[in-house]
Each structure stands twice: as C-alpha cells, then as structure tokens.
Amino acid sequence: MRKSHKIDEHTIGEKMEPFAFKGRHIIDTADLSNDEIMHLVKVCDEIQAMGDDKARTLCKGKILATLFWEPSTRTRLSFEAAMYRLGGNVLGFSEAKSSSVSKGETLADTIKTVSLYADIIAMRHPMEGSALAASQYSEVPVINGGDGPHLHPTQTLGDIYTLIKEKGRLEGLKMGFLGDLLFGRTVHTLVRVLARFGVELHFFSPEGLNIPAYVRSDLEAKGAVFTEQEGLGGRLAELDALYVTRLQKERFFSEEEYLRKKNSYVVDRETLTRAKDDVLVLHPLPRNEEIHPNVDGLPNAGYFRQATYGMQMRMSLISTCLGVKA
Ligand code: NCD
C-alpha cells in the first residue's frame, strides 16, 4: 500500500499561532505565512479524519459561486466538489458567454452582484490582477483560481499538501520542474512558496520558455537554491520529485512558435529508469504529450492523487475562509 504521511508536530514546527482566516480573500500565497500554510494542511487532515458524513455538515446552507471566465476542469469542478462534500451549494458560470459579461458588464459589477448571492466566490479570469481587483468589490471572500499567467494559489496549496502527504516533508527535497516555465502560472506560484520551505529547485525548459525574470529575482531575494537548464540530463537522478507542465498554447504569441516547441520534452517509463526509484511525478493537468500514458500505471505517477489532494485543500480553504473551521 502506498504510504501516506501524517502531519505531526515536527512537520508543522513548534510554534502555532491563532489563525484568522474567517472572511479572508485568498489571492496570492505571498499573503500567507508558512505557519498559515501549514495550518491549512492541518485542517485538510482534520476534515478528512471527520469522515464524509460529518464533513457534509460543515458548510450546510452556505453557497459558493464559481465564476470562471477561462476554461477549467479540475479547478472549477474540484471547488464545486469540495463545497458539495462540505454540504454546501454551488452556483456560477464556466464561460464568459453564459454570463452578463457577454452584455458588456464589468468585472466590478459582476462581483458586486454575485457577492450579494453567495457566501464565498472562487474565480478564474485571463487578466493578471483580476482576482485582487475583484476582492476590492466583494462583500464575501474571493479565492483566486488563476489570473492569467500570473498566480494560481489554490493549485500551489494542493501541491504542497501532495508533497507533504507523499514525501513526508518539504525541507531538503530536491524538486525538478519540466516544461513551459515561462507561461505556466502553477510553477510561478509553487516555486516561490517551496523556496520559503527550503526546497532545492531545478528548472528544465525548452529554449525561450524559462522562468520569467520576476520569478527568478524573487527566488534570488529569498536566497533559494536553484539551477536552470534545457534537458533533464544527469540531474534527473538526484530528484525526489519531478513536476511536469504542458506548453501553455493559449498564451503563445504565434502558432508557429508553439509548433516548433511541441513535443520537445516527454517523460516516459524509459526516462524514469534514470531517476530515483521513488521519484514522485506530478502534473497540474491537463496533460498533452509531455507525460506518456505508460507512466500512469507506475506508483511514481502522483498526478491523479494530486488532483484529489487539491480538492481536499479546497475544502480546507472554503471552510476556514467561511469561518466554520478555525
Ligand atoms: C493549470 C492551470 O490552469 O494553470 N491547470 C490547473 O489548474 N490544474 C495548468 C494548465 O492549464 O496547464
């Protein structure tokens, strides 16, 4: 059986402060302290330990609105599944054309209105800074489900939970990131949090798709240990986990450019023979061709478990921001 690690005093550190999540917006992981992140992890475990029936009483009568102006499967549906598993209800839209945005309504007016109907809002929008702007018009907590190529805090928190459950720690892990690191918001958000927890970072990306300058300078400012290269090369053998991402086709400047980079990296069973036996392969999904399906049957393939942990983390976020869980 796959081992799943328990969060103990050692993992979360000695000092636990009282946390004030009730009524709070979750826009950027930079707004959360390390202790607060570990508190969310602890709440995740507590909710899972309650069992399904008890968990379904936590948000009884509460309403989550999911406002998605950009396509999504996991993020939107896992927010909705999280709320249903907490006993709450869900309303919202999954594309701009099914909302009044198609009639020219502004983001501000949409948010002001929806915050009168719902107790909490999860949103995704193609514009950088949109969730922050929305939080200024909302009467209820706003959770950022992705703002353009910028931030994706709930994916990061789910990924942190995944690493702790599967690897038992963060500090001292050596983690690789392979793919489109220029446009991939999951990586931009995650690596800056991992640096705060002492994870060593190794970036592998096709030429021209390396991490953006603002991420690099943030890592430098945090004193993070990181390297950048094109191919996995010999470094693969050192890694405890490998986080793979697809090319963010929709954010490329031209189709031609995308086609040139397409299929420039693929992880398959053969690749993993060069890695540690227990290397954990993660992917925020959706995947294209960058992880061969022949990896799916290996215990190393953590990406579908990662989707479950992501949903559990959203249960933790919804219940703490609504104040039903302290
Ligand atoms: C990611 C996203 O939307 O940024 N997916 C997700 O939220 N699970 C990754 C992607 O689209 O490649």
Side-chain angles (χ1 to χ4, degrees):
M1 213 180 75
R2 208 173 39 78
K3 62 176 187 299
S4 175
H5 295 271
K6 198 171 161 291
I7 312 303
D8 55 23
E9 295 306 315
H10 177 71
T11 321
I12 59 179
E14 278 143 38
K15 188 170 59 82
M16 290 298 286
E17 289 159 13
F19 298 102
F21 277 99
K22 188 174 178 185
R24 193 157 160 185
H25 306 293
I26 304 291
I27 306 300
D28 184 347
T29 42
D31 304 333
L32 296 168
S33 71
N34 286 9
D35 282 351
E36 283 175 328
I37 291 175
M38 285 306 151
H39 180 69
L40 291 169
V41 164
K42 188 169 134 271
V43 172
C44 263
D45 273 357
E46 284 171 8
I47 296 176
Q48 294 318 305
M50 287 170 84
D52 289 355
D53 289 349
K54 194 126 183 271
R56 274 182 220 273
T57 63
L58 284 174
C59 289
K60 206 155 176 259
K62 302 279 186 196
I63 299 174
L64 164 77
T66 53
L67 311 184
F68 277 60
W69 282 265
E70 239 194 18
S72 166
T73 302
R74 264 145 303 270
T75 306
R76 184 173 60 82
L77 295 185
S78 75
F79 263 116
E80 298 188 355
M83 190 51 158
Y84 286 124
R85 283 169 187 271
L86 292 166
N89 299 296
V90 179
L91 50 81
F93 54 81
S94 56
E95 48 184 352
K97 70 171 188 281
S98 59
S99 76
S100 283
V101 172
S102 64
K103 300 182 194 163
E105 186 170 60
T106 61
L107 174 67
D109 284 0
T110 304
I111 295 291
K112 275 187 203 163
T113 309
V114 173
S115 77
L116 302 173
Y117 303 152
D119 300 293
I120 187 163
I121 295 173
M123 62 173 280
R124 169 174 286 188
H125 192 282
M127 210 173 68
E128 189 168 325
S130 49
L132 177 64
S135 70
Q136 283 151 10
Y137 297 106
S138 177
E139 303 287 329
V140 300
V142 171
I143 305 184
N144 182 5
D147 57 331
H150 189 217
L151 296 168
H152 199 344
T154 64
Q155 178 72 38
T156 286
L157 294 168
D159 294 344
I160 298 272
Y161 189 48
T162 305
L163 285 166
I164 291 176
K165 297 301 273 186
E166 299 262 331
K167 289 288 175 190
R169 68 195 164 107
L170 295 175
E171 190 164 357
L173 285 180
K174 289 190 182 191
M175 190 150 169
F177 295 85
L178 171 68
D180 176 353
L181 308 185
L182 177 64
F183 296 116
R185 59 189 168 196
T186 54
V187 171
H188 300 167
T189 318
L190 179 58
V191 297
R192 286 183 290 157
V193 176
L194 292 177
R196 288 161 43 185
F197 285 97
V199 175
E200 202 176 292
L201 310 164
H202 300 284
F203 300 121
F204 310 95
S205 51
E207 189 245 312
L209 295 180
N210 32 345
I211 50 165
Y214 82 94
V215 174
R216 191 175 303 112
S217 22
D218 194 42
L219 293 177
E220 280 161 359
K222 291 191 168 85
V225 177
F226 69 96
T227 66
E228 293 186 76
Q229 48 263 296
E230 264 182 45
L232 285 169
R235 216 176 267 285
L236 174 60
E238 296 171 26
L239 303 177
D240 299 300
L242 178 63
Y243 195 101
V244 187
T245 62
R246 71 181 172 94
L247 291 180
Q248 304 281 301
K249 182 179 180 193
E250 67 279 27
R251 305 196 203 283
F252 269 64
F253 303 115
S254 72
E255 173 84 10
E256 216 177 54
E257 179 66 8
Y258 167 73
L259 291 174
R260 221 171 318 127
K261 301 269 164 39
K262 199 172 173 254
N263 300 329
S264 57
Y265 55 97
V266 177
V267 172
D268 57 15
R269 277 192 187 227
E270 199 280 316
T271 319
L272 295 183
T273 59
R274 295 184 278 121
K276 281 187 180 174
D277 285 348
D278 65 347
V279 67
L280 177 66
V281 182
L282 298 178
H283 192 306
L285 303 173
R287 92 175 122 177
N288 296 152
E289 285 89 25
E290 61 280 356
I291 299 183
H292 193 282
N294 71 13
V295 176
D296 295 3
L298 297 175
N300 311 74
Y303 27 95
F304 291 108
R305 300 196 292 274
Q306 184 183 1
T308 303
Y309 292 129
M311 179 190 70
Q312 293 172 349
M313 176 50 84
R314 290 180 176 102
M315 292 172 78
S316 174
L317 280 165
I318 293 171
S319 52
T320 49
C321 292
L322 284 176
V324 299
K325 209 62 190 92

